[in-house]
Amino acid sequence: MERIIIGIFFLGFISGLLCRFIPSKVKYLKEIISGLVSIIYLAFSILLFKNTPYYITEIFLIDRFSIFISIFVSLFTLLTLIYSFSYFENFENSNRYYCYILWTLASSIGAVFSNNLILFSVFWGILAITLYLLLNISGEENAYPAKKTMIIVGGSDSFLIFGICGLIYLTGKYTITDISIFIASGLEIGIFFSLICASLAKAGCMPLHTWIPEISEKTDSIIMAYLPASLDKLLGIYLFSRILLNLFEYNPDFHSQLWFLLRLIGSLTIVCAVLMAIVQHNMKKLLSYHAVSQVGYMVLGISCANSAGIVGGLFHMLNNSIYKSLLFFGAGNIEKTTNEVELEKLGGIGKFMPITFLTFLIGSLSISGVPPFNGFFSKYLIYQGLFERTKSGDFEWSIWIICAMIGSALTLASFLKIIHSVFLGHKKDYLNEVKEVSLSMRIPVIILSSLCIIFGFGFIFPVRVFENSTNYILDKNFEYLIPSLNLIFVSLIFGFIIYLIFIGIKERKVGTFIGGEVKLKEMEMSGTEFYKTIEKERFFSRMYIGAKNKIFDLYDDFKRILFYIGQGIRATHTGVLPTYLTWILFGCILLFVIFMKF
């Protein structure tokens, strides 16, 4: 078994290397190789899920949880490759692209299946490199965002190494399954938050989130769909859950303040990121802020430390990866057809791209938590976890519930903005003819939107998987929701049948009545103008001004600090000999005082 797993890892790396040396001009060979490899990975993960519920050694940790994650890592990779066939047709760097995708796939599966902490850190580090390489494929204009991403994600990896070294120092053990630490000292708290820092930076949680909006404007939608939207969320929250559920013990009498900080981070991420999303006019940047906001729900749910919250947070991790990939693929379809992602310059393309419209609408309803789609049920479980905690009488839980509700309401408002601006209203003038994208770009959005529906009506299956894999069994039997879901399903089918019956009836078309006035172009309702008023509100205006000036960006804050320190050091180098002698004398006196003291 061990040899098979190692062989699977090497398959991805060697196949990626092979694709790297195939010239970009050679068509279909790279696509066939990468597609076959991703299918092998997917088939292997499914076979493990069916036949090998547990395989734990000093090297590998293969349980229901890791296998379930590996299935979706492989599925997202396969769908991304299918989407690439048309999206990156005649792409000059296609050999590099397919190489990095396969390396990312192999490293992701390696990280998920690693039980040895050192091996895990190796795969985790490779993922930071492949992320940087994939971002640089988009062109020279993405060099700065890619560098910023590498510094934030790579810098957080140094905290991961520190945390792993601390775990080995405290326990003398190298495997995840053999470590269970009761946090009782400052060193243990430092190790805990070092590991949390690495996981949340990867997932894109505040305040380590700024690399995601930064890369969104210039990076191709397909890469945004594959990395920040799906894999990074899966892997980041996977590590976060292993830290909280496996590596460290939780005792409410001793650790409530630490878990309080996690809930605070999750709640602030939900609210602040969605407030930033609602005022964005670039479609990809708006989606990227929502990718950040949704992480807050996962952190908030898992840090509830009860069954409903933990299962709901993990289920939301999976759901978010599904519908965020779907939404970024949809944005890629729109960008490919119109060469435009600014909401003010889009409009009226719904009837020309019906499949993209329908699937994007499903993704929008899913992320907004509208039943019967998958996002509703994961958020429902998170809310159940929060409501259970309110029974203790602590007011803090009411605050977390309010933050989660604000996030849900503003998420729905944001996607109403996108749907109206992009698909509805009057058709704008585009350089290209607006039409539905090719089949290979439609297949992924159809599959992902179907999963939003399947995991909505069939939410019991993933919930049971997360229950069994974490041993957190829900107190309530949520199967009582199934009759309501069946009723919704029958109603939808009945409504669709009626639509098909009456679709052929001619309708009378009339113009919009506006009080007898002549309709002018200036009277058209803008999908973005209404939301601009939010930026002008006194309560929010300073926050938005600060955000535009990047005062909440840790990367830029540290850059400014280092710049000022450098300026100060530069000012001391005057080139005047007496000044240097003065500094030498001051240093000698300081050293003399230190040595005399000790």
Side-chain angles (χ1 to χ4, degrees):
M1 182 66 173
E2 199 165 278
R3 290 183 179 180
I4 296 174
I5 298 171
I6 294 172
I8 287 290
F9 293 150
F10 275 107
L11 174 65
F13 286 109
I14 293 172
S15 300
L17 194 63
L18 179 62
C19 290
R20 180 65 181 87
F21 289 105
I22 297 175
S24 295
K25 295 180 180 179
V26 178
K27 288 187 176 183
Y28 307 123
L29 183 57
K30 302 179 295 297
E31 290 82 351
I32 292 172
I33 292 173
S34 56
L36 287 174
V37 170
S38 63
I39 291 171
I40 291 171
Y41 270 82
L42 180 59
F44 177 70
S45 298
I46 293 173
L47 286 173
L48 282 178
F49 188 80
K50 291 178 65 178
N51 303 318
T52 313
Y54 296 100
Y55 179 76
I56 300 173
T57 67
E58 292 184 356
I59 299 176
F60 297 116
L61 170 56
I62 297 178
D63 57 9
R64 284 290 184 186
F65 186 23
S66 59
I67 295 171
F68 200 56
I69 298 299
S70 72
I71 289 173
F72 284 92
V73 168
S74 304
L75 177 62
F76 290 136
T77 303
L78 178 60
L79 295 178
T80 301
L81 291 170
I82 293 172
Y83 193 88
S84 306
F85 296 159
S86 295
Y87 189 89
F88 275 146
E89 190 177 11
N90 300 321
F91 182 48
E92 60 181 357
N93 293 321
S94 62
N95 53 354
R96 291 167 51 197
Y97 168 76
Y98 289 108
C99 170
Y100 302 152
I101 287 287
L102 291 178
W103 286 354
T104 301
L105 171 61
S107 301
S108 299
I109 300 296
V112 169
F113 283 166
S114 292
N115 195 20
N116 184 284
L117 289 168
I118 296 175
L119 182 64
F120 176 85
S121 66
V122 170
F123 284 122
W124 196 266
I126 294 173
L127 285 169
I129 297 171
T130 56
L131 171 62
Y132 174 77
L133 293 172
L134 279 168
L135 293 179
N136 267 308
I137 280 181
S138 297
E140 294 182 0
E141 65 275 7
N142 222 32
Y144 174 77
K147 180 181 72 173
K148 180 176 180 177
T149 300
M150 187 63 182
I151 291 173
I152 293 175
V153 177
S156 70
D157 288 355
S158 62
F159 285 94
L160 175 69
I161 294 171
F162 171 80
I164 288 175
C165 291
L167 291 175
I168 296 171
Y169 170 77
L170 288 177
T171 64
K173 298 175 181 177
Y174 292 82
T175 52
I176 294 173
T177 51
D178 292 333
I179 297 175
S180 182
I181 295 176
F182 185 89
I183 304 173
S185 67
L187 176 60
E188 290 161 351
I189 292 173
I191 293 169
F192 176 76
F193 277 107
S194 294
L195 296 171
I196 291 293
C197 175
S199 65
L200 296 187
K202 187 74 169 175
C205 187
M206 286 188 171
L208 301 170
H209 69 289
T210 54
W211 61 277
I212 296 180
E214 190 79 42
I215 65 175
S216 61
E217 294 183 82
K218 302 298 181 182
T219 304
D220 292 299
S221 297
I222 187 173
I223 295 175
M224 292 297 298
Y226 184 57
L227 289 169
S230 59
L231 289 201
D232 288 341
K233 296 292 176 290
L234 281 175
L235 297 173
I237 300 301
Y238 172 80
L239 175 58
F240 181 78
S241 60
R242 288 293 189 192
I243 294 168
L244 267 61
L245 305 181
N246 293 88
L247 295 177
F248 293 90
E249 297 178 14
Y250 172 70
N251 187 313
D253 297 327
F254 294 93
H255 305 134
S256 58
Q257 292 180 343
L258 294 178
W259 265 246
F260 172 86
L261 287 176
L262 296 178
R263 291 191 290 272
L264 178 62
I265 291 171
S267 299
L268 288 176
T269 299
I270 292 171
V271 176
C272 295
V274 78
L275 284 172
M276 288 302 300
I278 201 169
V279 298
Q280 301 302 319
H281 303 301
N282 181 291
M283 181 166 50
K284 292 196 293 185
K285 197 165 188 178
L286 188 152
L287 293 176
S288 70
Y289 272 112
H290 277 296
V292 174
S293 178
Q294 295 299 305
V295 177
Y297 285 100
M298 306 168 208
V299 174
L300 183 59
I302 296 172
S303 58
C304 281
N306 58 15
S307 296
I310 291 170
V311 173
L314 294 176
F315 188 22
H316 199 69
M317 166 195 70
L318 175 60
N319 287 338
N320 179 74
S321 298
I322 293 170
Y323 52 62
K324 286 310 296 186
S325 293
L326 166 60
L327 292 168
F328 271 111
F329 280 142
N333 290 355
I334 296 162
E335 186 179 17
K336 186 76 171 178
T337 301
T338 64
N339 292 320
E340 190 58 68
V341 290
E342 294 295 328
L343 297 180
E344 293 173 333
K345 298 178 181 179
L346 289 165
I349 66 174
K351 67 178 181 179
F352 301 101
M353 303 178 69
I355 295 177
T356 300
F357 178 28
L358 179 60
T359 54
F360 198 95
L361 179 62
I362 291 172
S364 300
L365 295 174
S366 298
I367 193 174
S368 302
V370 176
F373 301 104
N374 58 346
F376 167 78
F377 293 98
S378 53
K379 286 186 178 181
Y380 178 79
L381 289 173
I382 293 171
Y383 281 117
Q384 287 297 316
L386 294 170
F387 281 121
E388 284 179 20
R389 289 300 189 186
T390 57
K391 296 176 182 178
S392 65
D394 196 337
F395 181 70
E396 73 156 278
W397 295 99
S398 300
I399 298 175
W400 311 141
I401 292 171
I402 292 170
C403 290
M405 292 175 68
I406 291 172
S408 296
L410 294 182
T411 298
L412 180 59
S414 299
F415 281 94
L416 287 174
K417 171 183 175 179
I418 293 185
I419 295 296
H420 179 270
S421 301
V422 176
F423 297 102
L424 305 179
H426 294 278
K427 182 176 177 292
K428 301 293 177 65
D429 295 327
Y430 302 107
L431 295 176
N432 300 332
E433 179 187 358
V434 178
K435 59 182 180 179
E436 194 58 83
V437 291
S438 63
L439 180 62
S440 69
M441 294 175 70
R442 278 179 278 167
I443 289 174
V445 296
I446 292 172
I447 292 174
L448 291 171
S449 59
S450 300
L451 285 175
C452 290
I453 299 171
I454 292 169
F455 281 175
F457 287 102
F459 72 97
I460 292 294
F461 172 69
V463 165
R464 290 286 181 261
V465 171
F466 289 123
E467 278 185 311
N468 296 330
S469 60
T470 60
N471 292 322
Y472 281 89
I473 308 302
L474 297 175
D475 297 331
K476 295 181 179 179
N477 187 352
F478 291 98
E479 292 182 1
Y480 69 86
L481 293 170
I482 292 178
S484 301
L485 289 174
N486 292 335
L487 181 61
I488 294 173
F489 181 74
V490 171
S491 300
L492 290 173
I493 296 296
F494 186 67
F496 183 68
I497 292 172
I498 293 176
Y499 169 76
L500 292 177
I501 292 172
F502 291 99
I503 194 172
I505 298 176
K506 289 186 177 181
E507 68 277 6
R508 183 169 62 94
K509 295 182 180 180
V510 296
T512 306
F513 180 72
I514 50 176
E517 295 291 333
V518 178
K519 187 177 179 181
L520 303 175
K521 187 177 181 180
E522 291 78 7
M523 296 179 182
E524 293 181 8
M525 184 180 295
S526 170
T528 58
E529 198 65 33
F530 171 77
Y531 294 86
K532 289 181 180 179
T533 58
I534 299 173
E535 294 182 76
K536 300 175 184 178
E537 289 292 330
R538 186 178 301 177
F539 181 76
F540 298 114
S541 59
R542 292 184 179 179
M543 183 190 76
Y544 286 122
I545 292 171
K548 287 180 180 178
N549 294 329
K550 297 186 177 182
I551 65 172
F552 306 122
D553 190 331
L554 286 182
Y555 176 84
D556 282 273
D557 290 338
F558 278 110
K559 189 171 70 172
R560 292 188 193 100
I561 293 170
L562 291 175
F563 176 77
Y564 288 131
I565 293 173
Q567 287 289 92
I569 295 173
R570 192 179 301 165
T572 63
H573 291 270
T574 60
V576 179
L577 182 60
T579 303
Y580 293 136
L581 292 175
T582 303
W583 280 110
I584 292 171
L585 179 61
F586 175 76
C588 290
I589 293 171
L590 183 64
L591 289 172
F592 178 76
V593 171
I594 293 172
F595 284 126
M596 287 295 292
K597 189 171 183 180
F598 292 99

